[in-house]
Amino acid sequence: MAAAEPYTVALADDVHAYVQPDGGWCLNNAGFVSDGTATLLVDTTATERRTRALGAAIAATGAPAPRVVVNTHHHGDHTYGNAFFAPAAMIVSHADCRREALAAGHNLPLIWPTIDYGDVRVQGADLTYRDHTTVHAGAVDAEVIHPGVGHTVGDSVVWLPHRRVLFTGDLVFEGGTPFFLMGSLSGSLRALERLRALGAETVVPGHGPVTDPSAFDRTERYLRFVAEVAQKHHAAARTPLEAARSTDLGEFAEWRESERLVANLHRAYAELDGLAEGAPVDPLPAFRDMAVMNGGEMMASHA
């Protein structure tokens, strides 16, 4: 079944969220900030077609073409459209996001080879930072913050204090299952505390509909649930797949991508074994296990 069409949500006169239903694999959100003279774009999309639609949605609001693009992390659904906006726009990201994007290359076809990605040229950031920076879109100030290792090693959030709006990237999935195989369980919990402290009123997640700070509580409950499952089954010498198969998801059963539990357990087990937060974990066994949890088939992407 084809995904529903993306839509734009006006969060304020100068802030818009761009939502791609249903928020499943590779159907991420973006957003843009503009004072009418300059535009900052938060993330792009996974395909040329979808990125062109994002550009058209920006233009439809009367905002000029983006002068700056901020990537919240390196995954292709958030970065493959970078080259569509460059070189007119400068790409900004955490230093580790740039490194990981260039190292990964155009790798999504390895998982979803039938998707028409179009003319995708991987482009890393032109400007990187380590902890915190501020990007100015005309009269609008956007704080770009690295909350530590969480979803990935190079996460950024974009905070708009004047509107109390926070773009979280994939530190938050609204209605979908969190995913930290390439980041850290313990780091994700710390990152949530940093996000709470900002005092956002509106939260734009990396996937799913626009929400509010209650999303932090839901995400934290899931992360602590995964930690408990990991501790129990790791101590009993069960594999992540055995653990996931025997676990009742409870309140999280209705979230999309429930198969991510097993991938998250791969990371949680690695941390229990003493692996440093964000240190590489071979993703192939985790994706094979997710396919098993998904009825023996690779998860669908509608990008």
Side-chain angles (χ1 to χ4, degrees):
M1 182 175 64
E5 288 300 308
Y7 59 91
T8 303
V9 181
L11 305 177
D13 290 344
D14 51 1
V15 185
H16 292 76
Y18 184 78
V19 180
Q20 297 195 103
D22 63 353
W25 288 99
C26 296
L27 292 175
N28 67 301
N29 296 335
F32 51 99
V33 185
S34 180
D35 71 344
T37 67
T39 302
L40 177 153
L41 173 62
V42 182
D43 283 334
T44 62
T45 71
T47 70
E48 178 185 2
R49 177 181 66 83
R50 287 184 172 274
T51 299
R52 289 187 180 278
L54 170 59
I58 296 170
T61 69
R67 192 169 69 187
V68 178
V69 176
V70 176
N71 291 149
T72 60
H73 61 286
H74 72 276
H75 290 159
D77 51 338
H78 295 256
T79 62
Y80 277 3
N82 282 358
F84 177 83
F85 296 101
M90 177 175 64
I91 314 300
V92 178
S93 79
H94 188 268
D96 291 341
C97 171
R98 171 185 161 83
R99 184 195 68 228
E100 294 297 316
L102 295 176
H106 190 201
N107 63 352
L108 287 183
L110 297 176
I111 306 170
W112 294 288
T114 62
I115 298 296
D116 180 7
Y117 294 92
D119 182 16
V120 167
R121 289 163 288 140
V122 173
Q123 176 158 340
D126 304 299
L127 177 68
T128 62
Y129 77 101
R130 282 289 178 186
D131 182 61
H132 176 277
T133 191
T134 302
V135 179
H136 307 281
V140 179
D141 297 340
E143 297 184 23
V144 184
I145 302 165
H146 175 54
V149 178
H151 176 64
T152 69
V153 294
D155 291 339
S156 295
V157 299
V158 179
W159 169 229
L160 305 173
H162 75 299
R163 297 300 190 190
R164 317 307 292 176
V165 173
L166 178 65
F167 291 87
T168 68
D170 286 2
L171 288 165
V172 174
F173 291 78
E174 181 65 10
T177 302
F179 186 59
F180 48 84
L181 175 65
M182 300 172 192
S184 169
L185 171 54
S186 52
S188 292
L189 285 165
R190 288 197 305 274
L192 283 176
E193 287 305 306
R194 290 197 66 178
L195 302 195
R196 278 195 182 98
L198 294 172
E201 296 175 0
T202 302
V203 173
V204 183
H207 296 251
V210 174
T211 183
D212 57 48
S214 65
F216 303 147
D217 298 331
R218 292 188 290 275
T219 302
E220 180 179 356
R221 287 200 303 274
Y222 177 82
L223 296 177
R224 296 198 182 280
F225 167 77
V226 174
E228 291 175 3
V229 171
Q231 289 164 1
K232 171 185 173 182
H233 292 281
H234 183 271
R238 298 187 184 97
T239 67
L241 182 57
E242 290 169 339
R245 279 177 149 172
S246 65
T247 296
D248 180 354
L249 288 169
E251 68 172 297
F252 312 112
E254 298 304 314
W255 287 1
R256 295 183 313 272
E257 300 87 47
S258 61
E259 70 279 349
R260 289 179 181 163
L261 172 63
V262 72
N264 291 333
L265 288 171
H266 274 265
R267 169 58 65 178
Y269 273 37
E271 293 187 11
L272 288 171
D273 288 334
L275 191 70
E277 295 176 358
V281 169
D282 184 356
L284 294 181
F287 272 86
R288 283 197 295 265
D289 283 353
M290 281 194 288
V292 172
M293 295 291 293
N294 192 48
E297 298 182 356
M298 185 55 66
M299 302 73 66
S301 166
H302 299 292

